[in-house]
Amino acid sequence: MNELAQSPPLASAGDRPAAWIESAPQPGSPKALNMFSRLREDLECILERDPAARSRWEVMTCYPGLHALWMHRFAHACWRHGFLWLARFMSNISRFLTSIEIHPGATIGRRVFIDHGIGIVIGETAEVGDECTIYQGVTLGGTLLTRGAKRHPTLGRGVIVSAGAKVLGGFTVGDGARIGSNAVVLKEVPPGATAVGIPARILHKEVEAQREHAANQMGFSAYGLSTSGDDPLAKALHGLIDHVSAQQREIDRLVAALNRDGIALEDVKAAAPKVDAKQLNRLVDE
């Protein structure tokens, strides 16, 4: 983690470029075979998660998120070997071509799917785990100005970050977590949790026991939607309304019982405000 927070050393003018070129994958070498395996993984993960994808050729030629990831790998390699200006220049070209800005210092895992992609910003010390899905308008940003610090978030394995979400800070979003659309996440998200709202609140802290069959097959839920879709604040308010309504019914029963025993409490009952649970629940849902 600390290594990611440190900028790599500048390349020397000596034999460093030659050594880097010699270490490049050669045809038929294990490195080259691994590179082509990664490319196949990139294509397959998009075909699995996007029902609009019809063929590998379509994915390879028409998906800017895929192009941005491919260009980032080259820029990231330049960054790690100390060619900082070249890495930033490649990143800038990628942003111009795809409208996706990934800092060359960011670490991106395998089988990551950037869907639509326009407006995505991923900061220098960000880490994106394997099998993550990131939608358009997402920012993995920082809140610190300290040079060399871990300023950007770390996404665990299989995290879904929905359209327009902002994840700001050097904390961790746990494996399998889901960030709702337009959420602003400012603190750590537990594994399997869903974060929604501004600022984001945790909808549930454990993975749901039963998820949609399609989501289980594909390993993700599109746009990070929960099965219920309820906002945690709305759920809390509904619970309070139901509790107050139940208390009101119990009070009415006690007053009726006392009246039957000759203890008149009509004036107390008349002064007590009535709770209209249906109307209050309707106001919360609007």
Side-chain angles (χ1 to χ4, degrees), residues 12 45 57 76 108 125 138 167 170-171 178 181 233 240 262 265 269 273:
S12 64
C45 82
W57 176 250
H76 185 61
I108 309 295
T125 60
V138 166
V167 187
F171 52 82
R178 294 179 285 182
S181 296
L233 181 59
L240 289 173
L265 294 175
K269 186 176 179 180

Side-chain angles (χ1 to χ4, degrees), residues 132-145:
C132 288
T133 303
I134 302 175
Y135 289 90
Q136 67 273 16
V138 166
T139 298
L140 303 183
T143 56
L144 297 176
L145 299 178

Side-chain angles (χ1 to χ4, degrees), residues 80-121:
R80 288 190 296 105
H81 286 84
F83 298 95
L84 305 187
W85 178 87
L86 180 59
R88 292 303 301 268
F89 185 69
M90 283 298 303
S91 174
N92 206 43
I93 291 175
S94 175
R95 181 177 65 171
F96 176 77
L97 295 175
T98 66
S99 296
I100 299 169
E101 181 176 348
I102 307 176
H103 192 283
T107 300
I108 309 295
R110 305 181 71 157
R111 298 177 297 279
V112 171
F113 177 29
I114 295 178
D115 199 5
H116 305 294
I118 189 166
I120 287 177
V121 177

Side-chain angles (χ1 to χ4, degrees), residues 57-87:
W57 176 250
E58 179 183 353
V59 170
M60 189 166 57
T61 56
C62 301
Y63 277 67
L66 181 64
H67 304 154
L69 289 174
W70 285 352
M71 285 186 277
H72 170 72
R73 286 176 190 160
F74 179 78
H76 185 61
C78 293
W79 185 264
R80 288 190 296 105
H81 286 84
F83 298 95
L84 305 187
W85 178 87
L86 180 59

